[in-house]
Amino acid sequence: KRQYQRRVHGDSLPWRHCESQDVKTMIGSRLSRFALRTVGIRGHAASVRANDSGKKYDLFGYEVSTNTAPYIEKIQKTQHYDDAGEIIVQMNLDNTPPDLATYNALLERILNCKSKQAAPVPGENKFCAMMDVLEEMDHRYNIKPNAESWGYVLKDLVATGDFRLGWSIIAAFKSFGLEPPADLVAA
C-alpha cells in the first residue's frame, strides 16, 4: 500500500530525482513555450487594435499611425522594387503598419519595375517576390489580398508566358471568392 501511495502522489515521478535547477529549467521552458504560443496566437489576430476614439494601438499598447499616403507616394516613385520593399521596412520602424493600399502599391511596383536593383540580380523572380508580399499580408498583418492584389500576380504570369502557373492563380482567385479579370483569363 505504501509503494502504491508513493506512485500515485508523485514520489516516483521521473523528474523527482533530478536536481532542482533541472526541474526549474524544464518547467520554465514549458511555460516559455506556452507563453510564446499564446502571445503568438493572440498577437497575430490583434497586432493592431482600434479603440472607441478611432486610434489604433499595437500589441504592446503603443499608438500606431494610419497615415500611409506619404509611403505610398514614395513606393510609386521607386525605380527598383527592392527599394519599394525598403519603404515597407521603414514604415514598420516608424510604427505605421502597411494597409491593403500600401501592399497593392508595392505589388504594382514589383510588376512594373524592370529589376530588383540597378544591376539585375541573377535568379530574381517577380512572381516569387509578389507571392512573398501576399504571404506577408495574410500571415503577418491579417490583411486578405483582394482582386487587385492577385491581379498583379496574374499580369506578371501572362507577361512572362507562364500560363500553367497562371491557371493556378486563376484557381486561387476563385477559391477566395474573387473574379479574375476576363482579359487576363482570355490571354
Side-chain angles (χ1 to χ4, degrees), residues 45-140:
S47 58
V48 177
R49 294 184 178 167
N51 67 3
D52 295 335
S53 67
K55 294 182 180 180
K56 290 189 175 184
Y57 296 91
D58 66 6
L59 177 65
F60 303 105
Y62 295 103
E63 185 177 348
V64 297
S65 173
T66 57
N67 185 15
T68 59
Y71 297 101
I72 292 173
E73 286 179 27
K74 288 180 186 178
I75 288 171
Q76 291 170 341
K77 292 178 183 176
T78 58
Q79 298 298 314
H80 309 288
Y81 63 87
D82 209 17
D83 297 335
E86 290 298 321
I87 294 171
I88 298 292
V89 172
Q90 186 60 46
M91 288 180 76
N92 288 320
L93 293 174
D94 293 343
N95 209 13
T96 306
D99 58 1
L100 181 62
T102 308
Y103 277 119
N104 283 339
L106 177 61
L107 290 166
E108 184 274 329
R109 288 315 309 153
I110 293 172
L111 175 68
N112 293 322
C113 286
K114 291 184 180 183
S115 179
K116 181 178 181 174
Q117 297 174 353
V121 178
E124 72 180 62
N125 187 320
K126 289 183 178 185
F127 171 75
C128 290
M130 288 184 192
M131 293 306 292
D132 188 40
V133 170
L134 292 177
E135 187 269 335
E136 181 178 323
M137 288 170 68
D138 194 12
H139 295 291
R140 184 172 182 192

